[in-house]
């Protein structure tokens, strides 16, 4: 398997509060993680970095033989990340927090976990969103109170219903996705807010490699004003 991740401060922010990490593990699995911190400058950056590192520590501390199902392992990692970020809030007036989306890939199957509104997409002949945003606006969409089109311009579009470090009762969404014929894109809303999904799809399908796709996606976000930090993580099998 091959993975690539990259983060960029964007055009309008002075500090990057996103974090990302990807690695081929010793047992042949691939782990890709993307986070979007919140809480103000250094605290947001610290929250996202802490969550990513704690998740990696949890996943890599167990071999596949000793671990439970990958879903259970990722959920355990997310809860460890949540506890670590919660500890950062001690004595703080404003609680730091972060989104967190991760893919643990073995053979051609990706197990994906998500908290917040960073996303995972599957790219094959088209772009398909795998995760569902944990946001108040998405809850309105699912309740039939607004349409998906109305959601993108809703004044509460960035109000999360869940976040690592701030949720009272953490709810980790879990998904399974085959990537035998395509690849995964994990990203923060610094990509999905300024760049429409049809443009993301076109950029992905035109790319000659994962690195080219990542570079081109970040350039696309910055060409459209780069209003936020933008981060991508990508993974595919050797044969895809």
């Amino acid at each position: 398997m091959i993975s690539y991740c990259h983060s960029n401060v964007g055009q309008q922010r002075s500090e990057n509060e996103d974090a990302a990490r990807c690695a081929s593990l010793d047992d042949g699995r691939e782990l890709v993680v993307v986070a979007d911190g919140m809480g103000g400058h250094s605290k947001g950056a610290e929250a996202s970095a802490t969550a990513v590192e704690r998740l990696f520590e949890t996943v890599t501390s167990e071999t596949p033989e000793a671990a439970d199902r990958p879903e259970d392992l990722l959920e355990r990692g997310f809860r460890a990340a949540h506890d670590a970020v919660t500890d950062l809030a001690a004595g703080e007036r404003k609680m730091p927090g972060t989104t967190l989306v991760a893919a643990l890939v073995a053979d051609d199957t990706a197990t994906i976990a998500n908290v917040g509104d960073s996303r995972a997409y599957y790219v094959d002949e088209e772009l398909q969103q795998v995760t569902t945003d944990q946001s108040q606006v998405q809850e309105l969409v699912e309740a039939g109170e607004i349409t998906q089109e109305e959601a993108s311009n809703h004044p509460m579009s960035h109000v999360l219903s869940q976040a690592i470090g701030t949720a009272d009762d953490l709810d980790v969404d879990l998904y399974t996705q085959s990537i035998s014929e395509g690849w995964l894109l994990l990203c923060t809303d610094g990509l999905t807010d300024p760049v429409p999904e049809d443009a993301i799809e076109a950029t992905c399908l035109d790319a000659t490699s994962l690195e080219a796709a990542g570079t081109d996606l970040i350039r696309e976000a910055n060409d459209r004003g780069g209003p936020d930090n933008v981060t991508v993580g990508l993974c595919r099998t050797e044969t895809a």
Side-chain angles (χ1 to χ4, degrees), residues 178-200:
S178 170
I179 60 169
S180 59
E181 301 297 329
W183 43 280
L184 284 179
L185 164 65
L186 277 58
C187 60
T188 60
D189 61 5
L191 175 67
T192 54
D193 280 353
V195 186
E197 286 193 349
D198 58 352
I200 295 174

Side-chain angles (χ1 to χ4, degrees), residues 62-127:
E62 300 184 42
T63 65
E65 293 77 14
D68 295 330
R69 299 183 311 146
E71 294 91 340
D72 297 330
L73 178 56
L74 277 178
E75 180 159 6
R76 200 155 53 247
F78 268 57
R79 295 192 180 281
H82 178 64
D83 291 343
V85 175
T86 300
D87 288 344
L88 298 177
E92 295 291 329
R93 294 178 59 188
K94 187 173 184 180
M95 293 178 64
T98 184
T99 70
L100 191 63
V101 59
L104 181 61
V105 186
D107 298 322
D108 60 0
T109 300
T111 303
I112 300 164
N114 182 61
V115 168
D117 65 353
S118 293
R119 294 177 179 174
Y121 290 92
Y122 176 59
V123 183
D124 187 3
E125 295 180 352
E126 61 181 5
L127 186 76

Side-chain angles (χ1 to χ4, degrees), residues 5 8 12 25 32 40-41 45 110 112 134 141-142 152 228 234:
C5 56
N8 183 272
Q12 299 181 31
L25 307 184
V32 184
H41 299 293
I112 300 164
Q134 292 184 337
V141 172
E142 293 174 357
S152 60
D228 199 354
L234 308 102

Side-chain angles (χ1 to χ4, degrees), residues 106-161:
D107 298 322
D108 60 0
T109 300
T111 303
I112 300 164
N114 182 61
V115 168
D117 65 353
S118 293
R119 294 177 179 174
Y121 290 92
Y122 176 59
V123 183
D124 187 3
E125 295 180 352
E126 61 181 5
L127 186 76
Q128 304 171 41
Q129 186 174 334
V130 178
T131 56
T132 300
D133 293 352
Q134 292 184 337
S135 67
Q136 292 189 15
V137 165
Q138 183 61 35
E139 291 177 354
L140 294 175
V141 172
E142 293 174 357
E145 296 183 27
I146 62 173
T147 66
Q148 195 67 59
E149 290 72 24
E150 291 171 331
S152 60
N153 295 315
H154 196 280
M156 295 176 63
S157 60
H158 292 293
V159 179
L160 302 181
S161 56

Side-chain angles (χ1 to χ4, degrees), residues 24-29:
S24 299
L25 307 184
D26 291 341
D27 51 43
R29 295 175 299 170

